[in-house]
Amino acid sequence: MKVDPLLKQTCEWLRGSGPNSDIVMSSRVRIARNLDKLPFSHWANKKQEKEAMESLETAVLTSDVMKNCLNVRMLEIDDVDKQFLLERHLISREHMVHPEFKSTVIGDKEVVNVMINEEDHLGIQVMQSGFNLQECWRIASRLDDVLHKKVKFAYNSEWGYLTACPTNTGTGLRASVMLHLPSLVMTKQITRVLQAITKLGMTARGLYGEGTEAEGNFFQISNQITLGTAEEDIIDNLERIIRQVVGHEENARKTLMKQNRELLQDKIWRSNGTLRSAHIINTKETMGLLSMVRLGVDMGIITDIDRRAVNELFILTQPAHLQKIEGRMLSSAQRDVKRANLIRRRLEGR
């Protein structure tokens, strides 16, 4: 019940607006911090975990950045609600297990949220629609500055901020961009592009981060190095690389329209037709078909629905969202039926 109000609103990162939003679905900045006098989460005992949670909840909830926020303790919600928050990118998979003394504080419109006692004591996350890394960094940095005045974080003059994972030590900053790259996949250029960004110190993952596949032709690209590099430089480097990837996708779209227009349009319209007529459909097929419909919308081929409506379907058709909408547990077969019904209604404007 506690997370139910979120179902009635659209996540900020799904708005379908902002710079380069035809290719860049969202931008995200995460900052990892740990309390100075307590062991990191994996080493802390129950008493120390409780102390960390309570002190950080107080600090976050009393900050002016987190007005009108929702505080959710993981132990107080069921598995469907946990999966629901994961689908909205408000918690990680790690935050779902061993839920005692873990919480997440969700800001207004889900722009900002703070995970407490995940891998690190504190994880600030800011998400924006489109290519908006600078704005994400501005908001995250502001909350970080506010919290510095309330609690003392683990910091070393030589190494920087100390984190549970050594790869985050230094700035504790992870910046990422969610890209929709169907044309690079269709033209078989995606492997070459991803290999190139890896050589430049970046990493690529699927829609739900580490260990997930790039369903729906979505790829998360983020920095790998946080030590010895200033926060602004991390953001600037990622921005530079993302602009190049966006350029490659734009060129691939132009090539498809010029050389394989009929094939491209056929694939888009077949996907649109299947979604509008299917009565049973699973998650994986939905993601692939929605990817083609989104491409059709972004290229002006489909004009009777908008990008935001398609973006919302990527999330609303996920298992936990379907069960929250229905208000009860559903079997996999029942979800496939409800998913198809939801898609048909939404695409018809109902």
Side-chain angles (χ1 to χ4, degrees), residues 52 72 83 121 125 165 196 220 227 266 317:
V72 181
Q83 182 67 30
H121 290 150
Q125 174 177 274
C165 180
Q220 281 190 60
L227 184 63
D266 182 71
T317 56

Side-chain angles (χ1 to χ4, degrees), residues 156-213:
N156 178 278
S157 58
E158 182 178 358
W159 297 104
Y161 290 100
L162 304 180
T163 56
C165 180
T167 58
N168 291 329
T169 296
T171 61
L173 173 67
R174 288 280 183 176
S176 65
V177 173
M178 182 83 71
L179 295 155
H180 184 226
L181 306 175
S183 298
L184 286 176
V185 173
M186 292 171 67
T187 56
K188 304 187 185 306
Q189 299 178 64
I190 191 65
T191 300
R192 177 175 55 81
V193 170
L194 296 182
Q195 287 174 344
I197 67 166
T198 300
K199 292 177 181 178
L200 294 170
M202 302 294 162
T203 186
R205 299 185 172 101
L207 184 62
Y208 287 99
E210 190 169 359
T212 62
E213 296 180 1

Side-chain angles (χ1 to χ4, degrees), residues 208-276:
Y208 287 99
E210 190 169 359
T212 62
E213 296 180 1
E215 291 186 349
N217 298 312
F218 284 104
F219 298 83
Q220 281 190 60
I221 297 178
S222 63
N223 65 295
Q224 285 184 303
I225 300 170
T226 67
L227 184 63
T229 306
E231 290 91 339
E232 292 79 6
D233 291 337
I234 290 173
I235 300 294
D236 289 345
N237 288 337
L238 181 57
E239 282 188 330
R240 176 175 52 81
I241 290 170
I242 295 302
R243 288 192 191 97
Q244 293 179 35
V245 177
V246 167
H248 287 309
E249 173 67 18
E250 289 174 340
N251 289 335
R253 293 184 182 190
K254 291 175 183 176
T255 298
L256 285 172
M257 282 296 286
K258 184 177 180 180
Q259 299 179 3
N260 295 286
R261 179 187 293 267
E262 290 78 13
L263 182 63
L264 174 64
Q265 291 180 333
D266 182 71
K267 192 172 182 66
I268 289 170
W269 285 115
R270 281 177 183 270
S271 298
N272 187 50
T274 300
L275 289 171
R276 289 177 184 267

Side-chain angles (χ1 to χ4, degrees), residues 7-64:
L7 191 60
K8 300 174 183 178
Q9 67 184 29
T10 300
C11 310
E12 156 64 24
W13 60 278
L14 290 175
R15 284 192 301 108
S17 59
N20 300 109
S21 54
D22 57 333
I23 295 173
V24 181
M25 177 176 268
S26 64
S27 302
R28 176 170 64 184
V29 164
R30 285 180 170 179
I31 297 176
R33 296 286 184 262
N34 289 281
L35 294 172
D36 184 44
K37 300 299 183 182
L38 290 174
F40 293 162
S41 296
H42 289 166
W43 296 96
N45 58 37
K46 296 300 181 184
K47 181 180 178 181
Q48 292 165 331
E49 287 180 340
K50 184 173 185 288
E51 182 183 346
M53 183 181 74
E54 290 177 346
S55 63
L56 287 170
E57 280 183 343
T58 299
V60 172
L61 292 170
T62 56
S63 69
D64 60 346

